[in-house]
Amino acid sequence: MELLPRSPGEFGSAQYWDRFFRQRGQRPFEWYGAFPELCPVLHKYIRPRDKVLVVGCGNSELSEQMYDMGMCEDIVNIDISDAVIRQMQERSRSKRPKMSYLLMDMLQMDFPDAHFQVVLDKGTLDAVLTSEEEATLTKVDKMFAEISRVLQVGGRYFCVSLAQAHVLKKAVEYFSQEGWVVRVHQVAGSGEKQQFVLPVFVYVMTKFRKIPGSAPQILEICLEEQDKPMRVESMERLVAAVKDRQHYALLCSQLSKTPCGEQVSLDLCDKESGRPRYTLHVVDSPSVKPSRDNHFAIFIIPQGRETEWLFGTEEGRKQLATSAGFGRLVTVALHREQHYEGMAGIQAELSGKVMKLAPPGLPARQQVPFLSVGGDIGVRTVRHCDTSPLSGEYVVEDVKGDGTCYFRRLIFLRNRNVVQSEARLLAPTPLPGQKKRRKDKKKPSPAEPPAAIDKSYLCCEHHKAMVAGLCLLGGPKPLPAPAQYDAIMFDVDSKDLTVGMSCPPPAFVEKPFLQKVKTILKPQGVFVLNLVCRDAQLKESVLATLREVFPLLYARRIEGEVNEILFCQPSLEGRQDPTGLGARAQALEAALQQPGLPWDSSYTLADMLQAVKIL
């Protein structure tokens, strides 16, 4: 602890660094960025014949390793600490005759202009720029001006940094305004235990001659060693991209040390478009008894099934993780705007990234299984996409559900995990007398869903309850006369997100409007309303208004949802007890099951009314 400075300002003091290196002795001091990690980035830019200046060299082994590896030999190292310069001269004099160590202040260097092709700074800027006080910023401006002076046009300034926001902003602002190209590389970790949780970055700033009125600043970022640099339109976007990587590193570090009490969600984005490509949820199951093979698994959610309860809700993912029998399960949802090359392609793409989310105690070289439903990534075919003035962007898509069923869905993209409307598709059936397809004819693609709509299918539980409520009419009726109706149904979502009622819009439950609904309803008719209201006070107000207009109200709560179906009748004369409703529902279902017409037998209308109560 005695090596630490008493204040950040001491980082710029020669006396502090003399004391530091005397107490530390001969042991090399690497704050961060060991040579094996930095080598791939440095090797891309530094040529063997380059003349290299290392500012604030300390007793780091970086220069020695560059020399010994043959990266370059003409290396000049400077530092303000006389103690460390003498130590390093002694260490390299006989082994590295072409490399020199000089006692010099980088704020006032003795070298001529344009003397070097490379200036290398490993942690020096971070040590100097400890605050945004005026005196500190003035010192940094002097440092940058001197580096610019001694660097040739076309030369590069390499700054190895932890990329704190104020440090990155200062470097980018200064050099981009000077007309330099700024590129930020993230350094790949060595896989060994790191002293710092935050990732290390290298700013590569290439000097160009400043021309008045020249093209705007060029900012680029390269997040992985094999990636091509990506152009960034502003300094703010560059800083935000670096911050995202820092947050990701902190999250991975936390997850590697302790179980997560709550589910953690994160998006992995496409490198080129920046759009989300995968959405990951990290789910820990403390109840799972650990063994060698059940620490960690990845679950790929088939396309189109991310909206299902098991995959799209926190409670569902908990159940999935427990039933899968793994201590930590990472679920992976695929995005509709992206293209995927099958399960093997996804596994190859994600393997390195998801291992950073591994739980503590994972055995070394443990094989981590990739799981899914049915072993494939599902089928999603976008049929139409557009923008609505009320709902924003939307998409109509066909997806493969569980088994062989296909569904056509409407999704509002502002709420991607909610199916707004859904229809089940029917497999085509041959016409009477039509011959079967010959074996040598081309078969339809298994990815091509059928096109006919199953009109008997209701996708939502509240729709089934709404249909069951028609039994309050007493039995099947002829088509209504134009003036009055046997049944009126409202299932309309609200676009006003500031109100705690998402269905219907408030205007639909105001008293004057409800009175108009009542006037076009037959005396024994039924008004069916889907109410989705999270505001308890607002809900009581809506129910009070409904009671003023409709004397008889039945309610059916939908289990696991906020939806509540209200059956409103204009007269008390038609009041039914639950037993009577069940009998009427059976009669209605029998009447609706006509020969030759499709019917969904997965539920019964009578069951939908068992939980009905009179308000």
Side-chain angles (χ1 to χ4, degrees):
M1 294 295 290
E2 66 275 7
L3 294 178
L4 293 176
R6 287 184 289 271
S7 69
E10 283 197 334
F11 278 125
S13 162
Q15 291 77 18
Y16 165 74
W17 289 112
D18 281 342
R19 186 175 74 251
F20 177 95
F21 288 114
R22 286 195 193 100
Q23 291 182 10
R24 186 170 177 86
Q26 295 291 326
R27 286 177 300 142
F29 180 67
E30 310 286 352
W31 280 20
Y32 39 76
F35 180 71
E37 299 166 1
L38 298 174
C39 185
V41 176
L42 300 179
H43 187 70
K44 285 182 180 180
Y45 300 100
I46 298 177
R47 299 162 297 185
R49 64 178 181 275
D50 283 342
K51 191 174 184 66
V52 178
L53 169 66
V54 180
V55 294
C57 62
N59 68 353
S60 167
E61 292 181 316
L62 178 61
S63 299
E64 297 167 314
Q65 290 167 323
M66 289 170 61
Y67 190 104
D68 295 345
M69 288 286 291
M71 187 177 290
C72 57
E73 293 183 339
D74 193 352
I75 304 175
V76 179
N77 302 273
I78 66 170
D79 202 286
I80 57 172
S81 169
D82 180 60
V84 81
I85 289 297
R86 283 189 280 106
Q87 180 190 122
M88 296 305 290
Q89 286 174 340
E90 182 65 28
R91 204 162 85 185
S92 286
R93 183 178 291 116
S94 60
K95 297 178 184 177
R96 304 171 187 94
K98 294 183 181 179
M99 186 164 71
S100 60
Y101 287 87
L102 303 175
L103 179 65
M104 192 181 297
D105 186 350
M106 66 180 177
L107 304 183
Q108 194 173 357
M109 294 187 278
D110 299 333
F111 305 114
D113 295 355
H115 191 61
F116 297 96
Q117 285 88 30
V118 172
V119 174
L120 179 55
D121 153 13
K122 181 168 173 284
T124 305
L125 178 61
D126 285 359
V128 173
L129 190 47
T130 54
S131 72
E132 295 183 87
E133 295 177 0
E134 186 175 350
T136 303
L137 296 177
T138 300
K139 183 182 290 187
V140 171
D141 285 339
K142 283 184 180 178
M143 171 184 172
F144 288 165
E146 277 292 272
I147 288 172
S148 178
R149 181 184 67 79
V150 302
L151 196 61
Q152 294 179 4
V153 172
R156 293 183 171 95
Y157 167 35
F158 294 85
C159 178
V160 181
S161 168
L162 291 180
Q164 289 177 276
H166 72 283
V167 176
L168 178 58
K169 283 180 184 176
K170 179 64 178 173
V172 172
E173 279 179 351
Y174 185 96
F175 290 104
S176 63
Q177 287 172 7
E178 292 296 310
W180 295 31
V181 174
V182 178
R183 180 180 294 170
V184 177
H185 284 264
Q186 181 175 349
V187 175
S190 63
E192 300 174 1
K193 189 173 181 181
Q194 304 293 313
Q195 182 179 1
F196 286 86
V197 171
L198 291 174
V200 176
F201 294 86
V202 180
Y203 320 152
V204 182
M205 291 167 281
T206 305
K207 182 177 179 179
F208 281 78
R209 188 172 283 108
K210 190 174 182 180
I211 302 173
S214 60
Q217 60 186 7
I218 298 177
L219 308 176
E220 296 177 331
I221 190 164
C222 193
L223 296 175
E224 294 186 16
E225 185 181 323
Q226 66 274 20
D227 288 352
K228 292 181 179 178
M230 293 187 300
R231 186 70 58 90
V232 184
E233 62 266 25
S234 67
M235 180 191 68
E236 290 74 20
R237 289 297 297 271
L238 181 62
V239 172
V242 168
K243 191 174 289 186
D244 284 344
R245 304 297 290 194
Q246 291 168 331
H247 287 168
Y248 179 60
L250 287 169
L251 174 64
C252 292
S253 174
Q254 182 182 350
L255 290 173
S256 69
K257 295 172 184 174
T258 58
C260 53
E262 297 181 355
Q263 292 184 25
V264 174
S265 172
L266 63 150
D267 286 334
L268 299 182
C269 296
D270 180 73
K271 294 171 185 174
E272 294 184 3
S273 68
R275 286 175 169 261
R277 180 165 172 79
Y278 299 102
T279 295
L280 278 56
H281 285 89
V282 182
V283 190
D284 281 352
S285 300
S287 60
V288 173
K289 187 177 180 180
S291 69
R292 177 172 176 79
D293 298 324
N294 74 343
H295 283 268
F296 189 37
I298 317 300
F299 190 97
I300 308 298
I301 302 169
Q303 295 180 94
R305 299 191 62 183
E306 64 277 353
T307 59
E308 295 180 18
W309 179 85
L310 190 63
F311 310 125
T313 67
E314 185 170 334
E315 196 59 38
R317 288 188 292 268
K318 276 185 187 177
Q319 190 179 109
L320 176 66
T322 303
S323 61
F326 287 89
R328 174 170 292 173
L329 187 72
V330 175
T331 66
V332 181
L334 316 179
H335 283 252
R336 60 179 50 82
E337 301 92 352
Q338 303 290 330
H339 174 72
Y340 304 94
E341 294 290 347
M343 183 65 76
I346 291 173
Q347 186 169 346
E349 190 177 347
L350 287 179
S351 290
K353 295 179 175 63
V354 294
M355 288 307 296
K356 296 177 182 178
L357 304 174
L362 182 71
R365 299 179 181 175
Q366 175 75 53
Q367 287 284 347
V368 177
F370 276 70
L371 314 174
S372 187
V373 179
D376 62 25
I377 64 170
V379 176
R380 190 201 312 268
T381 306
V382 175
R383 293 298 179 186
H384 183 71
C385 52
D386 209 336
T387 302
S388 158
L390 289 176
S391 304
E393 290 182 281
Y394 68 88
V395 63
V396 177
E397 60 188 19
D398 292 347
V399 299
K400 186 180 180 183
D402 196 5
T404 59
C405 292
Y406 281 85
F407 299 91
R408 181 160 294 167
R409 291 173 175 167
L410 168 65
I411 308 282
F412 292 150
L413 296 184
R414 69 179 183 185
N415 200 351
R416 294 168 177 266
N417 284 336
V418 174
V419 176
Q420 190 68 26
S421 186
E422 178 182 85
R424 186 164 62 192
L425 303 179
L426 288 171
T429 53
L431 297 173
Q434 185 178 4
K435 293 182 179 179
K436 291 185 178 179
R437 185 185 301 272
R438 289 181 58 180
K439 291 182 180 178
D440 57 346
K441 292 274 184 83
K442 184 181 178 183
K443 293 183 179 180
S445 166
E448 184 66 23
I453 303 295
D454 181 355
K455 296 180 181 178
S456 73
Y457 174 73
L458 295 173
C459 68
C460 302
E461 290 298 302
H462 67 269
H463 287 160
K464 298 169 186 176
M466 293 173 79
V467 170
L470 295 177
C471 72
L472 290 165
L473 299 172
K477 300 276 186 177
L479 289 173
Q484 287 190 308
Y485 296 88
D486 292 293
I488 298 172
M489 294 184 173
F490 281 1
D491 182 19
V492 188
D493 74 317
S494 173
K495 308 300 180 188
D496 188 353
L497 302 179
T498 64
V499 179
M501 180 169 65
S502 56
C503 182
F508 280 59
V509 286
E510 291 177 356
K511 189 172 180 180
F513 187 80
L514 292 172
Q515 287 172 331
K516 289 181 180 179
V517 172
K518 185 177 178 181
T519 61
I520 60 171
L521 195 64
K522 288 184 178 181
Q524 301 301 318
V526 60
F527 167 48
V528 186
L529 173 68
N530 178 24
L531 179 65
V532 183
C533 187
R534 291 173 171 81
D535 185 329
Q537 190 174 353
L538 177 59
K539 181 178 176 180
E540 281 303 315
S541 173
V542 170
L543 291 175
T545 305
L546 284 166
R547 287 192 199 97
E548 289 180 33
V549 179
F550 296 96
L552 183 57
L553 258 67
Y554 301 86
R556 165 68 158 85
R557 289 291 306 273
I558 305 301
E559 187 177 353
E561 300 179 18
V562 187
N563 302 64
E564 187 164 5
I565 306 304
L566 302 173
F567 307 104
C568 315
Q569 291 196 284
S571 170
L572 289 169
E573 295 177 7
R575 177 168 175 157
Q576 296 285 327
D577 60 31
T579 306
L581 285 178
R584 285 192 171 198
Q586 289 174 357
L588 175 62
E589 186 167 329
L592 292 173
Q593 291 186 23
Q594 298 293 327
L597 294 177
W599 180 257
D600 187 352
S601 58
S602 64
Y603 68 97
T604 62
L605 295 182
D607 290 344
M608 299 306 301
L609 296 178
Q610 283 184 353
V612 164
K613 63 179 182 179
I614 297 176
L615 298 182

